[in-house]
Amino acid sequence: MKIDNSNATLGTGPRPQTTLLVTETPIEPDLPYETHPLADLSVEALDEYDVLWMHCESALDDAARQRLAAVGGELTAFVADGGGLLLTHGAVEAAAELGIEAHEPDSVGRVDADETGFLVRRLFEDHPIFGGIDGLRPNGAPATDAVSVHYDSLHPNDADVLAARRDDGTDRPNLKSLLCWEVGDGRVVGVGHGLAALQTDVQETLLDNCLAYAAGEGSDPRTVGRSKGREEFEAMREAVPDANHRPAYHFTPPANWLNDPNGLVQWNGRYHLFYQYNPAGPFHDSIHWGHAVSDDLVHWEDEPIALAPDPDGPDAVGVWSGCFVDDEGTPSVMYTGGDDGDQLPCLARAEDDSLRTWTKAAENPLITEMPADVDVLQSIDWRAEFRDHCVWRTGETWYQIVGSGIEGEGGAALLFESEDLLEWEYCHPILTGDWRKTGPIWECPELLRFDEGSLLHVSDYSKVAYFSGEYDEAAKRFEPEDHGVLDHGVFYAPQSFAADDGRTLMFGWLKEDRDREAQWDAGWSGAMSLPRVVSLAADGTPEFSLPTELEALRETHHSFSDLTVSPDGTNPLADIEGDTLEVKMTVDARNVGEFGLVLRETPDGEERTVVRCKIRHREVVVDRSQSSNSDAAADSSDSMPLTLDEDGTFSLHLFLDRSVLELFTNDAQALTSRIYPTRPDSTGVGLYADDCEVTVRSLDVWELAATED
Ligand code: FRU
């Protein structure tokens, strides 16, 4: 579906002929509209108007609510028959009163700012409501004393959020304040602030546009709402392309925000990837479970949102991370519900094998009391840091570990057991860390079992720490023998599942490494790693390989053997270019100082990312000091240790996907990095040697296909 914004210049068009302005009190300045007080609203006379504009300078009081309740049916019918309704400031609350929106806005108050304006979503920048208004941060206006209404932690159920707020030069993406609904044949527009005094051109244009749009002018972009299907998601992808940075073969959200992978499973042969998703924009808030499916781990198709916060439920603030559970054939998920200072386990069951429709258990939340014999860490936000789940069954007993932290000790994976997945009894931590080494809180703990031993990994806010050793089934405790870092870059909160063929496949969230404003401007944030096949070496070290399915991405192939790279500056890869590449090589590193690979280089060398293999220091460094001309992008180096095989060689396997760089050495050490070149000609590739000749025993470069454009 194509988004058609061809009619996007309403600001210059005529105003709707007939507008009835309904207010509680007269508003400034005088406007050329017939005005009635809300108390005198005569619904019989509404037919004469194209659009009704309801403005309230304060929150709705009881009298206003009663009046709205009395006329609500007729007003909704007026809109459903094709009428337009503009709700400004306090009147945005009327949407819930009229049944146009399932949720009340969650903040009604005065703006505490000298200057306030709009923060337009990239997804909607071409929406007719912004016709004649430039940029995502159009000029702000002095604050007024009028009430401001917005949805913050909640995401409205039925509306498109077109813009949030910007106060005193600061983006406030979570204050969702410009909304559109469709009701039957009519349109409703809600603007929570900034239209009281109409001091600026932007405000006047916006008002004209809102009235005209509500009256039915301008095409409707129809990317709308939050519970939509594949076509709408495709339209969203088209609306926020970000061609230089958005990965072409890594999974990314259709638009908006993605974090952790959740509920991973291969069910009836299909791979299901759920993920933490905010439909309100590219920032972390009002978290839902997004959903995508694949038959081959390479091509992913968007499914409708699987789980949404329930404003009256234990997950009102967010449906956070969780895992898949096969409850004797019933597909289920255990997730964390966030609500009012609590993070509590909840269960949902799928109603069909497509895993599209989920019913939350009536018993939610399942664990309401923190264990008495551990001092679970509190924080400003949470009565107890207690979230994320890994569930398994041994014999007839269900077990789960929950991520947490113990006061004064460190991150912990707390073990619970249950007979029915609903009633849980606390056991003890299977492992507690030292806060000085692996942080005070562990998120997303996962216990993986292999023939060679067990692997427990936890995300400690900065990195993914792993412990390898044995899980003692009798004592129900993890006995670590070794520990390390699963990935030395931005790979975070990974989750794994056993594929039908026995492979353990792991996905992780690849965080952005550019500032929040740049993420807002791009309109999307967060990528999923490639699936990694995880195993344990005989000595207990985790190892990674890439699923052979990914070879389907390979197109043009460049192959070299026994290639000599000299410090004379000749680049043997001068003929290759691209921003979606796979590189695989084995290097003879005896007597070598530094050798490396240059990626995303402009012809003049202004932008370039250098993978420096510093052999003497036994280190691989991703040097991002010249990766991007933009100040918004991080330019610090990422690094990981390098070990050489006994014969003095090492292997490097690398996937470049526009802003994503996934790097593996010896199939064991991993480093994922993010780069944001600004120039379209940042596509050069090179090899260099610093202080002596280097022999590359084998080198394969594939140009990879895009699965997303
Ligand atoms: C990890 C995490 C989890 C939490 C989720 C919220 O990135 O913070 O602990 O459940 O993300 O989105």
Side-chain angles (χ1 to χ4, degrees):
M1 179 180 292
K2 189 94 186 108
I3 301 176
D4 179 7
N5 291 319
S6 50
N7 208 345
T9 48
L10 294 179
T12 55
R15 292 179 172 179
Q17 290 297 306
T18 54
T19 303
L20 176 64
L21 170 61
V22 182
T23 66
E24 291 170 301
T25 44
I27 71 165
E28 299 274 343
D30 285 343
L31 289 160
Y33 302 114
E34 193 184 325
T35 309
H36 282 286
L38 178 59
D40 292 349
L41 180 64
S42 152
V43 289
E44 295 83 46
L46 285 183
D47 287 356
E48 293 171 28
Y49 301 96
D50 294 333
V51 57
L52 178 70
W53 170 18
M54 191 181 294
H55 179 86
C56 297
E57 290 281 296
S58 56
L60 295 180
D61 59 16
D62 286 348
R65 281 178 194 278
Q66 276 174 16
R67 180 74 193 135
L68 279 168
V71 296
E74 281 97 336
L75 279 182
T76 314
F78 164 76
V79 180
D81 284 350
L85 181 59
L86 171 63
L87 304 170
T88 49
H89 293 233
V92 174
E93 287 182 283
E97 222 67 38
L98 298 172
I100 289 162
E101 165 57 37
H103 314 337
E104 287 258 359
D106 39 6
S107 303
V108 181
R110 306 274 152 187
V111 180
D112 183 18
D114 292 338
E115 190 200 311
T116 179
F118 290 94
L119 179 63
V120 176
R121 289 177 68 185
R122 162 74 74 204
L123 191 56
F124 293 109
E125 70 173 328
D126 294 332
H127 194 285
I129 276 188
F130 302 116
I133 297 175
D134 289 336
L136 302 181
R137 297 173 185 79
N139 286 343
T144 60
D145 195 27
V147 73
S148 145
V149 170
H150 47 82
Y151 293 79
D152 46 16
S153 56
L154 273 178
H155 184 263
N157 199 41
D158 305 313
D160 279 334
V161 178
L162 270 52
R165 224 168 74 190
R166 187 171 153 79
D167 293 332
D168 295 333
T170 304
D171 289 0
R172 311 280 298 271
N174 60 322
L175 305 186
K176 308 164 187 101
S177 69
L178 204 170
L179 310 118
C180 284
W181 296 267
E182 284 173 24
V183 180
D185 292 336
R187 294 173 178 173
V188 180
V189 178
V191 186
H193 76 292
L195 288 186
L198 298 180
Q199 297 116 314
T200 68
D201 291 352
V202 167
Q203 289 175 309
E204 289 206 8
T205 306
L206 192 66
L207 173 65
D208 289 350
N209 289 350
C210 287
L211 287 170
Y213 183 74
E217 288 175 39
S219 57
D220 167 10
R222 283 203 176 269
T223 57
V224 296
R226 70 178 189 190
S227 305
K228 293 288 163 56
R230 190 166 300 161
E231 282 199 354
E232 285 79 6
F233 284 132
E234 273 169 21
M236 287 162 75
R237 285 183 193 283
E238 280 177 32
V240 290
D242 194 16
N244 216 0
H245 303 134
R246 198 203 259 258
Y249 60 87
H250 283 74
F251 181 79
T252 52
N256 310 319
W257 171 269
L258 166 153
N259 62 300
D260 314 352
N262 292 146
L264 301 177
V265 68
Q266 187 175 11
W267 191 255
N268 287 349
R270 299 202 95 183
Y271 298 103
H272 291 261
L273 168 63
F274 299 90
Y275 57 93
Q276 297 276 282
Y277 174 62
N278 178 13
F283 62 104
H284 187 267
D285 196 28
S286 53
I287 291 292
H288 297 52
W289 274 32
H291 183 197
V293 292
S294 172
D295 291 320
D296 60 5
L297 293 172
V298 178
H299 301 90
W300 293 94
E301 281 179 1
D302 295 307
E303 290 282 306
I305 285 172
L307 291 169
D310 173 359
D312 303 316
D315 54 14
V317 170
V319 183
W320 289 329
S321 284
C323 64
F324 188 86
V325 183
D326 180 353
D327 181 12
E328 296 186 357
T330 303
S332 310
V333 291
M334 185 73 69
Y335 68 91
T336 301
D339 181 29
D340 197 22
D342 288 318
Q343 309 184 312
L344 300 172
C346 296
L347 187 78
R349 296 188 182 89
E351 285 174 18
D352 57 354
D353 281 324
S354 63
L355 311 189
R356 224 171 252 161
T357 315
W358 294 84
T359 304
K360 296 176 186 173
E363 293 84 352
N364 289 342
L366 305 178
I367 301 173
T368 49
E369 299 293 324
M370 283 307 104
D373 48 348
V374 273
D375 192 359
V376 174
L377 204 70
Q378 292 190 3
S379 63
I380 302 175
D381 298 324
W382 307 112
R383 267 187 279 285
E385 294 283 349
F386 184 70
R387 61 181 174 275
D388 312 334
H389 312 268
C390 171
V391 177
W392 70 92
R393 195 175 203 180
T394 307
E396 289 301 297
T397 309
W398 289 103
Y399 293 94
Q400 71 164 310
I401 45 174
V402 181
S404 187
I406 299 177
E407 184 72 53
E409 292 186 37
L414 304 181
L415 181 71
F416 291 78
E417 62 181 25
S418 167
E419 295 309 309
D420 60 3
L421 275 177
L422 294 170
E423 282 188 43
W424 292 89
E425 204 171 307
Y426 176 65
C427 306
H428 47 247
I430 63 163
L431 189 70
T432 307
D434 176 342
W435 64 269
R436 283 166 292 245
K437 294 180 187 143
T438 50
I441 300 163
W442 285 353
E443 306 186 290
C444 304
E446 184 174 68
L447 179 64
L448 299 172
R449 252 72 75 83
F450 301 94
D451 291 342
E452 296 78 9
S454 299
L455 183 73
L456 174 71
H457 67 80
V458 299
S459 294
D460 68 5
Y461 281 68
S462 132
K463 289 279 185 289
V464 186
Y466 76 78
F467 302 90
S468 60
E470 283 305 331
Y471 179 67
D472 182 335
E473 298 280 353
K476 299 177 201 157
R477 290 189 194 267
F478 191 85
E479 307 292 348
E481 282 155 25
D482 198 5
H483 64 89
V485 171
L486 218 49
D487 184 299
H488 297 264
V490 292
F491 178 91
Y492 194 72
Q495 199 180 92
S496 317
F497 68 104
D500 293 346
D501 59 14
R503 291 176 299 178
T504 300
L505 295 173
M506 176 183 277
F507 286 87
W509 164 36
L510 308 184
K511 298 181 182 187
E512 296 300 319
D513 221 352
R514 53 178 164 177
D515 68 25
R516 282 164 205 251
E517 286 76 14
Q519 293 174 49
W520 180 270
D521 294 355
W524 67 281
S525 174
M528 215 43 92
S529 72
L530 293 173
R532 299 176 178 183
V533 183
V534 188
S535 56
L536 276 191
D539 68 356
T541 318
E543 290 188 321
F544 301 113
S545 63
L546 279 300
T548 48
E549 287 92 325
L550 296 179
E551 292 169 12
L553 291 166
R554 292 174 178 171
E555 292 187 332
T556 310
H557 182 199
H558 309 266
S559 179
F560 307 83
S561 55
D562 291 324
L563 181 72
T564 304
V565 189
S566 325
D568 67 4
T570 314
N571 171 19
L573 305 185
D575 292 340
I576 304 177
E577 59 171 18
D579 57 5
T580 55
L581 299 171
E582 178 183 353
V583 180
K584 219 174 171 175
M585 60 177 130
T586 304
V587 181
D588 185 340
R590 281 171 299 182
N591 307 319
V592 174
E594 182 177 322
F595 155 85
L597 186 65
V598 183
L599 296 163
R600 298 222 61 177
E601 184 175 34
T602 51
D604 60 4
E606 186 188 27
E607 286 188 330
R608 64 204 300 256
T609 297
V610 190
V611 178
R612 300 186 185 279
C613 302
K614 299 188 162 196
I615 309 297
R616 280 200 197 99
H617 299 99
R618 295 290 193 268
E619 192 182 31
V620 176
V621 176
V622 177
D623 176 348
R624 298 187 296 174
S625 56
Q626 273 179 264
S627 292
S628 175
N629 284 338
S630 164
D631 290 341
D635 62 1
S636 56
S637 294
D638 288 322
S639 63
M640 67 172 163
L642 175 69
T643 45
L644 302 186
D645 282 350
E646 279 169 11
D647 65 354
T649 64
F650 71 94
S651 72
L652 187 87
H653 196 179
L654 173 157
F655 289 84
L656 170 68
D657 192 2
R658 298 188 177 148
S659 63
V660 169
L661 191 55
E662 289 195 68
L663 201 66
F664 304 90
T665 55
N666 302 328
D667 301 325
Q669 302 283 355
L671 191 168
T672 307
S673 194
R674 302 297 303 272
I675 51 174
Y676 304 91
T678 60
R679 286 176 47 175
D681 58 351
S682 294
T683 50
V685 182
L687 278 184
Y688 74 93
D690 222 17
D691 48 6
C692 65
E693 289 193 340
V694 179
T695 305
V696 180
R697 291 209 179 149
S698 64
L699 168 65
D700 292 282
V701 181
W702 290 272
E703 295 170 27
L704 298 186
T707 55
E708 318 237 352
D709 277 318

